[in-house]
Amino acid sequence: MKTLFTSTLLLLSIILTAQTDQKIYDIINAVSADRIEGDIKKLAGFGTRHTLSDTVSETRGIGAARRWIKSEFDNISKDCNNCLEVFYQKDLVKKGTNQRITKDVWVVNVVAIQRGTKHPNRFIMMSGDIDSRISDPTDYTNDSPGANDNATGMAGAIEAARVLSKYKFENSIIYVGLSGEEQGLFGGQGLAKHAKENNWNIIGIMNNDMIGNIKGVDGVIDNRTFRIFSEPVPPTETEQQRRSRRFYGGEVDGISRQLARYIHKTVKTYMPEMNPMMVYRLDRFGRGGHHRPFNDAGFAGIRIMEAHENYTQQHQDIREENGIKYGDVVEHVNFDYAAKLTAVNAINLASIASAPPAVSVLEIGGIVEPAAKFKWTKVNDSNIKGYKIYWRDTTSPTWDHSRFVGDVDNFVLHGIVIDNYLFGISTVGKNGHESPVVFPSKIFR
């Protein structure tokens, strides 16, 4: 009877841990395609948002655009009893830093922080880019509306702030408009440096760059699929860590890849109509985005974007040739799709911001034994329900098996041979939300 009672409690605990949160569905429903459309049109209406464009005009150029973005964050903050800390973060980039910097320029980011109630110095971040460009990357005077690239990502960050500011979370959320992306990822570099200098504990960065196109240059029309780009391991790993991977595995289990898997799982749970496509690469082939400077600084960071790009509408002078309309203009943007990808961001911001901290170190053992063994230092948080061990086939992209093991600091998976799987662990809160999975970083015998 005692064994049956214990088994029943364990099963009930697993079921409760797997329950969904109604708040996440409410967040999805609150994202407005109409508001996103209005913001995209407003941003495109500044004519050009080139990093080196006018900063004095109230109606044209990147200066007017960033002041408007800040005013939107300020208005959102007023509506939530000043729940956002809104400020500019800027760095001077000197002429000749690269070929695209033809004059000295202040690269100015617009930052809005929604502080967590329990862990105010732990941050999950959503970014969009403020700036735009046309065919000549140094042309900062001609029209460059940048409707999809990247008014969509910027509008998404503003909309996520509107929706999520209605809630309180244990961890902090950062909504940010980054500048200087098209000139060399300068905004991300500046904010990553700022984060380091201010000892921000960043859980992850979700960079949104082009989330509004559903008609690909390849002829495919798809309003449900989107890509999640993530690098396999951090560029900051040590030589010892690199050597260890050769023997213990983990070639595709860096912190950014775990963030990608977290997003994939959350979307599959709460937005099953969407098709998240994990791409095992830092970014598109040979190209880059504003999550990279954060990766370079050792933070987890991924890029969320449309699945099917149309290159005739990226970095192009506005024109028509041979019946093809070139240029990144509003008419090519699908606002409902941009709203869906904004919701993808919002539910992951909310889930991670609601989750307890991950364990700092996971140790694994079980070499030449018929069981996999784990031990870790428990997280000091009164809202923790316990821990969940995950495992998967070595060829699987997702965590396919799991077991909630309770509020303990060690566990043995009997009958699971360590040679045949990869393992990780998450921290589970009493509210059901989990931290991103942590991959083992130490071996014990």
Side-chain angles (χ1 to χ4, degrees), residues 131-148:
D131 59 309
S132 63
R133 59 159 284 198
I134 47 178
S135 299
D136 179 357
T138 64
D139 183 345
Y140 55 85
T141 57
N142 285 309
D143 281 353
S144 177
N148 188 38

Side-chain angles (χ1 to χ4, degrees), residues 119-134:
H119 305 288
N121 200 49
R122 298 184 75 245
F123 304 91
I124 179 68
M125 183 188 304
M126 177 183 180
S127 69
D129 298 322
I130 301 174
D131 59 309
S132 63
R133 59 159 284 198
I134 47 178

